[in-house]
């Protein structure tokens, strides 16, 4: 009996000792489990820190994308003026050259010729009529006069031809290799402007409706409803925006019939022919809005497809480009690498989250085993 009681007492003592030992190890196991979430927390924090520069880099682009406001045109600049005579004021180097040739070369010459012919006619009428000269002259020819009236017109034509050929050659000089390219397409009855160097987006340009007159383009607002609107029949909903102070390659075509892209104040006119691309350089010297119209009879609404060219400084032009979906600054690659660069960050975030979620479970399962 005593041996049995001794064995039973020893068994109870061993159980008490084991329980005490387990309670002593419990705080250490809890400490071993606790650091796991703390270790995963810095991984998540570092992922957020890595994503922060990308967000900061995107912030200026987002700010620039919303910074475009259309220019308000200046009265009398880049548009016709009531009662005006002569060419519009020019805002391109070729236009200034052509304006000089018209006013300084051609007009004086044609004026002198007209006055000379008029004076000769009056002399003949007064001196050689039947009453003043009853006996007509029988002179058959005069060598000196014939030489003069042959050589003088030839010299005049040569004098006109030299600057004319020079102006023609400069008008059709190709654009530089890296010049910005804009594609202009004439449609019945609106214009489409494509920007292949800026992400290949397109802008559709329709004439604004005139209040109190029949609607020309459904869904388009009335002229005068925005503070930057220009004259009626010339203002559009979306202008062709170009950078100022640099050559621009315009490639012009048509989708249906022959149109003609003409902006008088920029000395620009080129036909838009279906199935053909005509190319010419546009250069705008000063920021502003310049208006033109289709100059080829193209159908019933030929008079309702105006042209509005808005020239902006390069930084403002870039901001305008970024307002369009997929717009990129010319000379830069499309941001195709951005999603690929973001993928490792997303993967790292997912891995960190997986580690954070799996670590406590593993430690919790390990604790009872201990």
């Amino acid at each position: 009996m005593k041996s049995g009681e001794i064995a039973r007492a020893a068994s109870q003592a061993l159980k008490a000792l084991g329980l005490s030992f387990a309670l002593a190890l419990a705080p250490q196991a809890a400490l071993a489990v606790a650091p796991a979430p703390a270790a995963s927390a810095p991984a998540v924090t570092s992922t957020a820190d890595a994503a922060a520069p990308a967000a900061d880099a995107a912030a200026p682009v987002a700010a620039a994308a919303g910074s475009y406001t259309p220019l308000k045109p200046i009265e009398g600049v880049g548009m016709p003026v009531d009662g005006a005579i002569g060419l519009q004021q020019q805002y391109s180097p070729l236009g200034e050259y052509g304006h000089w040739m018209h006013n300084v070369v051609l007009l004086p010459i044609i004026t002198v010729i007209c006055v000379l012919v008029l004076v000769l006619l009056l002399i003949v009428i007064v001196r050689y009529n039947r009453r003043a000269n009853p006996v007509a002259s029988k002179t058959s020819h005069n060598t000196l006069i014939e030489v003069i009236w042959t050589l003088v017109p030839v010299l005049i034509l040569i004098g006109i031809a030299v600057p004319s050929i020079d102006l023609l050659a400069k008008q059709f000089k190709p654009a530089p290799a890296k010049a910005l390219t804009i594609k202009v397409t004439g449609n019945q009855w609106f214009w489409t402007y494509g920007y292949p160097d800026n992400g290949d987006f397109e802008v559709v340009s329709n004439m604004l409706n005139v209040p109190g007159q029949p609607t020309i383009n459904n869904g388009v607002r009335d002229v005068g409803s925005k503070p930057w609107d220009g004259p009626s029949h010339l203002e559009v909903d979306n202008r062709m925006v170009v950078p100022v102070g640099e050559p621009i390659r315009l490639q012009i075509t048509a989708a249906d019939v022959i149109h003609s892209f003409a902006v008088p104040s920029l000395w620009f006119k080129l036909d838009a022919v279906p199935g053909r691309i005509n190319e010419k350089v546009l250069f705008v010297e000063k920021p502003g809005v310049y208006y033109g119209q289709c100059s080829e009879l193209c159908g019933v609404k030929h008079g309702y497809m105006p042209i509005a060219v808005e020239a902006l400084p390069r930084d403002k032009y870039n901001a305008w480009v970024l307002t369009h979906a997929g717009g990129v600054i010319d000379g830069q690659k499309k941001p195709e690498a951005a999603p690929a660069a973001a993928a490792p960050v997303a993967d790292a975030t997912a891995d960190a989250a997986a580690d954070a979620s799996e670590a406590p479970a593993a430690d919790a399962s390990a604790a009872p085993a201990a």
Side-chain angles (χ1 to χ4, degrees), residues 102-125:
H102 178 269
N103 291 342
V104 177
V105 178
L106 296 180
L107 280 181
I109 291 176
I110 195 64
T111 300
V112 171
I113 291 175
C114 290
V115 171
L116 177 61
V117 172
L118 177 61
V119 169
L120 291 177
L121 283 175
L122 293 176
I123 292 174
V124 170
I125 290 172

Side-chain angles (χ1 to χ4, degrees), residues 241-254:
V241 180
V242 301
V244 72
E246 60 183 80
I248 303 161
R249 181 187 296 105
L250 289 192
Q251 296 182 338
I252 301 176
T253 187

Side-chain angles (χ1 to χ4, degrees), residues 98-165:
H99 196 265
W100 167 85
M101 183 175 175
H102 178 269
N103 291 342
V104 177
V105 178
L106 296 180
L107 280 181
I109 291 176
I110 195 64
T111 300
V112 171
I113 291 175
C114 290
V115 171
L116 177 61
V117 172
L118 177 61
V119 169
L120 291 177
L121 283 175
L122 293 176
I123 292 174
V124 170
I125 290 172
V126 173
R127 292 189 56 182
Y128 297 101
N129 61 70
R130 180 180 295 180
R131 188 181 307 169
N133 188 33
V135 181
S137 173
K138 296 181 180 179
T139 302
S140 61
H141 65 275
N142 186 303
T143 303
L144 178 61
I145 293 178
E146 291 183 356
V147 170
I148 292 175
W149 72 31
T150 300
L151 288 181
V152 169
V154 170
L155 295 176
I156 293 174
L157 292 176
I158 292 175
I160 295 175
V162 171
S164 297
I165 294 174

Side-chain angles (χ1 to χ4, degrees), residues 15-261:
K15 289 181 179 180
L17 182 62
L19 180 60
S20 301
F21 183 73
L23 291 175
L25 290 180
Q28 296 180 2
L31 293 174
V33 173
S40 62
V44 177
T45 304
S46 62
T47 304
D49 294 340
D56 294 340
V61 176
S67 61
Y68 166 71
T69 301
L71 285 180
K72 182 177 177 59
I74 301 174
E75 184 69 27
V77 175
M79 64 181 74
V81 179
D82 290 342
I85 298 176
L87 302 176
Q88 293 184 24
Q89 183 66 33
Q90 297 298 305
Y91 296 92
S92 69
L94 287 177
E96 293 173 352
Y97 188 8
H99 196 265
W100 167 85
M101 183 175 175
H102 178 269
N103 291 342
V104 177
V105 178
L106 296 180
L107 280 181
I109 291 176
I110 195 64
T111 300
V112 171
I113 291 175
C114 290
V115 171
L116 177 61
V117 172
L118 177 61
V119 169
L120 291 177
L121 283 175
L122 293 176
I123 292 174
V124 170
I125 290 172
V126 173
R127 292 189 56 182
Y128 297 101
N129 61 70
R130 180 180 295 180
R131 188 181 307 169
N133 188 33
V135 181
S137 173
K138 296 181 180 179
T139 302
S140 61
H141 65 275
N142 186 303
T143 303
L144 178 61
I145 293 178
E146 291 183 356
V147 170
I148 292 175
W149 72 31
T150 300
L151 288 181
V152 169
V154 170
L155 295 176
I156 293 174
L157 292 176
I158 292 175
I160 295 175
V162 171
S164 297
I165 294 174
D166 184 44
L167 178 59
L168 284 173
K170 289 181 177 179
Q171 285 186 96
F172 294 98
K173 182 180 179 180
K178 295 184 179 180
L180 174 67
T181 299
I182 300 177
K183 183 179 180 181
V184 179
T185 304
N187 308 269
Q188 289 180 313
W189 289 268
F190 59 93
W191 296 95
T192 302
Y193 306 121
Y195 292 78
D197 293 342
N198 296 119
D200 207 19
F201 63 88
E202 286 190 346
V203 175
V204 179
S205 182
N206 292 282
M207 190 190 88
L208 298 182
N209 296 312
V210 181
Q213 296 188 12
T215 299
I216 301 300
N217 295 306
N218 292 323
V220 176
R221 63 184 178 86
D222 291 345
V223 66
S225 58
K226 298 291 184 181
W228 53 78
D229 285 350
S232 64
H233 295 88
L234 289 178
E235 191 57 84
V236 298
D237 55 353
N238 297 301
R239 299 167 177 167
M240 184 180 82
V241 180
V242 301
V244 72
E246 60 183 80
I248 303 161
R249 181 187 296 105
L250 289 192
Q251 296 182 338
I252 301 176
T253 187
D256 33 54
V257 298
I258 298 178
H259 302 272
S260 185
F261 189 86

Side-chain angles (χ1 to χ4, degrees), residues 288-299:
V289 185
Y290 307 92
Y291 295 98
Q293 290 177 304
C294 176
S295 298
E296 184 70 32
L297 188 60
C298 58

